[in-house]
Amino acid sequence: MHEIVPGLVYAPGYLSREEQDELVADLREAVKQAPLFTPRMPRTGKEFSVRMTNCGALGWVSDRERGYRYQATHPETGAPWSPMPRLALRVWDDLSPYKHPPEACLVNFYEASARMGLHQDRDEEDFDAPVVSLSLGDSCLFRIGGTERKSSTKSFKLHSGDAMMLTGPARLAFHGVDRIMGGTSTLLPQGGRLNLTLRRVTKA
Ligand code: SIN
Ligand code: MN
């Protein structure tokens, strides 16, 4: 494990191939109950290039009218989210210094052309809780900056099975995904990248 910038803990190759397969199998079940949806930007209504779903009691959603938020139900079906995958909870227990369990696991699916602009994760109540990330499938170029949009940034690659945590001085750092490197993994037969982020939403 190493710190790429203060507070960004990077654990390359954290999950074995068997564990990655188990997580993908759990996510295949999860999307049967809570299908991937395309979120939209607040106000403009512009579509994100990633598709999303969530696992856990709460899920992160965004639409034109009500903006970024967490809610207990899928925005299109109204059904509850799927249970948190076993391995996701284990990774939080292993890596996170925060005593209370995560409440949301945002699942982002990136096709080869998808990306995610620089943003902060700040819709949670307690920034003492880290955000823990797991990457599956194709590699990506991930970008991390500081707590201001104009701060300088660094990029590095995230590969299938890597874990990462944003905590302390990096908890509110701007971050994003510049591009997906298509064809770099055999984990997902159709290609693409899955990213799971585990979040504590409410103050414990
Ligand atoms: C996110 O910031 O929500 C996702 C980051 C990633 O895909 O690695
Ligand atoms: Mn984020």
Side-chain angles (χ1 to χ4, degrees), residues 106 108 116 119-121 131 142 166 173 175-176 197 199:
L106 173 62
N108 288 144
M116 188 171 291
H119 67 277
Q120 293 171 296
D121 290 352
V131 172
F142 184 83
L166 295 179
H175 60 278
T197 45
R199 297 121 183 265

Side-chain angles (χ1 to χ4, degrees), residues 48 50 52 60 106-110 115-117 119-121 131 133-135 140-143 158 164 166 175-177 180 193-197 199:
F48 283 48
V50 296
M52 299 181 169
W60 189 89
L106 173 62
V107 180
N108 288 144
F109 178 68
Y110 298 76
R115 55 186 296 280
M116 188 171 291
H119 67 277
Q120 293 171 296
D121 290 352
V131 172
S133 142
L134 288 171
S135 291
C140 78
L141 191 64
F142 184 83
R143 186 164 294 277
L158 285 175
M164 187 186 76
L166 295 179
H175 60 278
V177 172
I180 304 299
R193 171 174 184 262
L194 282 166
N195 175 260
L196 281 65
T197 45
R199 297 121 183 265

Side-chain angles (χ1 to χ4, degrees), residues 66-143:
R66 294 173 60 203
Y68 302 158
R69 63 194 186 274
Y70 286 94
Q71 63 181 42
T73 54
H74 190 286
E76 290 170 359
T77 69
W81 304 106
S82 307
M84 218 41 105
R86 178 186 80 91
L87 279 169
L89 286 173
R90 201 201 76 199
V91 174
W92 176 278
D93 285 344
D94 287 353
L95 288 183
S96 163
Y98 194 77
K99 309 186 284 301
H100 307 281
E103 296 166 299
C105 173
L106 173 62
V107 180
N108 288 144
F109 178 68
Y110 298 76
E111 284 174 16
S113 59
R115 55 186 296 280
M116 188 171 291
L118 277 184
H119 67 277
Q120 293 171 296
D121 290 352
R122 51 179 312 145
D123 302 314
E124 302 76 31
E125 289 174 6
D126 189 354
F127 300 135
D128 287 342
V131 172
V132 171
S133 142
L134 288 171
S135 291
L136 296 169
D138 286 335
S139 303
C140 78
L141 191 64
F142 184 83
R143 186 164 294 277

